[in-house]
Amino acid sequence: MAEQTSIRRIWTSPNYVLFLVGACCNHITTWMQRVGVAWLAWELTGSTAWLGVVAAADLAPMIVLATFAGAVADRSNAARMVRIFQMLFVVQSALLATLTLTQLITIEQLFLLSLMSGIIHPFWLASRQIVMPATVERRDVGTIVAMDSATFQSARFVGPAIAGLLIPIAGVGGVFVAHMIGASLFAMALMAIRVRLPQRLNRGKRRIFGDIADGFRYILGHGGIPYLLLLMAAASVFVRPIQDMLPGLVDQVFDRGAVGLAWITSAMGVGAMISATRIALRGELTGLTFSALAGGLGVVCATVLLVTTHWFWVAVGAAVFFGYTFNSISTSIQALIHSTVEDSMRGRGVSFYMLVFRGMPAIGALSVGTMAEALGLQVACVVSAGACFLVWLLVVPRYRSMAKATELMLRTD
């Protein structure tokens, strides 16, 4: 009998199925909360600068803590670590729901609770990215990375759509209660799974900063990863912030309110879901370097179209294209990094991706938000897209060496 394909094999692992079900619940309500936080910040202030500040509070800690969190995860019991930090997310959403429902919430409190989420995230992600691959065989890691992205992006469509229906009925506080429930369900799933984690090395009295330095040397010495991360950094800093500016764009340009915001956000999720599903169904990692580079060019075009049109449904279509192309970059690069780094270096290797993907958008959110106050939101986003295109032009000539250093290694494993 022919061997099962990777996409079929992963469903035979009870640990992976349990992890996936819990993650889906968490993903959906996470996107609901993201829409709620952005809309609440806009309602409280009506300022694009504050939108950038609140987004940066959630994203910026990743810049400072990502590599440290990766080293801690490589030293620690990652399964216990991810459970602890998942429960902290439950606490954060409970506080947010309570303050909002009692109408005591202020923009300063929203900032502090977003900062709390930002501090939790690096440690949660680093440990999660060690636990998730342990639920399947190593040869299937690339497939479940793409599947994880597909479920996350599917939730990006479903979550905002539900939020758009729920906010007019239950208020913003209702979406925060929903996330408290979704986060709790994932916490219970994490408690139930049993996985065999990579063996932790006995580092004796070696300081954690030595481990971080080893991680830097490992990544910088790789023939492909540094250039992939440079492309991801350009997309994260220059075009990713458009997602944080959506409340202002929807309100100022289209006058569509919270429902319009849900439409645009969900449209991005649809595009991203299609991209991630395409990568997962391929079941192989060869060709993902090209996918990342093609996505880099496509997301620049999508950004310009999204912010310059005055027709709402054209913007919705551009949002689908934006989600597809941005996810082509992020999922392709994440899958390549996951599959090329050594097990003993996984926490630190993935932490660099986390720093770029989740941390660097904080810089972009602040700069684009501030620029938008001075030049207008549409002009600021077009200028940022142009900067992303310039970096793309620098990376493209490295295509062959990048593919050789990642995909060739995978073919010879």
Side-chain angles (χ1 to χ4, degrees), residues 36-47 51 167 172 247 258:
V37 167
W39 188 250
L40 182 58
W42 181 252
E43 279 192 330
L44 290 171
T45 66
S47 166
L51 285 175
I167 290 174
V172 178

Side-chain angles (χ1 to χ4, degrees), residues 373-401:
E373 290 283 316
L375 304 177
L377 181 56
Q378 292 168 299
V379 173
C381 290
V382 170
V383 170
S384 292
C388 184
F389 179 65
L390 292 177
V391 176
W392 181 83
L393 290 176
L394 292 175
V395 174
V396 165
R398 303 276 185 176
Y399 166 65
R400 291 188 182 277
S401 62

Side-chain angles (χ1 to χ4, degrees), residues 15 27 34-36 41 53 67 73 79 97 103 150 222 242 246 253 270 278 322 348 351 363 370 385 388 394 396 410:
N15 281 319
H27 286 334
R34 285 187 179 185
V35 171
V53 169
T67 53
Q103 298 184 347
H222 195 278
I242 185 61
L246 285 177
V253 177
V270 169
R278 175 186 64 83
F322 180 99
R348 283 162 288 173
S351 73
I363 300 172
T370 303
C388 184
L394 292 175
V396 165
L410 293 170

Side-chain angles (χ1 to χ4, degrees), residues 264-277:
I264 295 288
T265 306
S266 294
M268 287 184 175
V270 169
M273 176 187 65
I274 294 170
S275 171
T277 302

Side-chain angles (χ1 to χ4, degrees), residues 267-350:
M268 287 184 175
V270 169
M273 176 187 65
I274 294 170
S275 171
T277 302
R278 175 186 64 83
I279 294 172
L281 290 176
R282 288 178 77 247
E284 60 183 43
L285 293 157
T286 53
L288 291 187
T289 304
F290 178 81
S291 176
L293 288 173
L297 179 60
V299 79
V300 169
C301 299
T303 300
V304 173
L305 178 59
L306 176 59
V307 301
T308 56
T309 184
H310 289 275
W311 291 296
F312 178 73
W313 295 110
V314 173
V316 170
V320 173
F321 187 42
F322 180 99
Y324 183 91
T325 51
F326 190 87
N327 187 80
S328 294
I329 305 171
S330 61
T331 300
S332 297
I333 292 175
Q334 185 184 8
L336 287 169
I337 292 175
H338 253 297
S339 299
T340 58
V341 297
E342 300 170 5
D343 281 340
S344 62
M345 195 66 66
R346 185 175 300 278
R348 283 162 288 173
V350 176

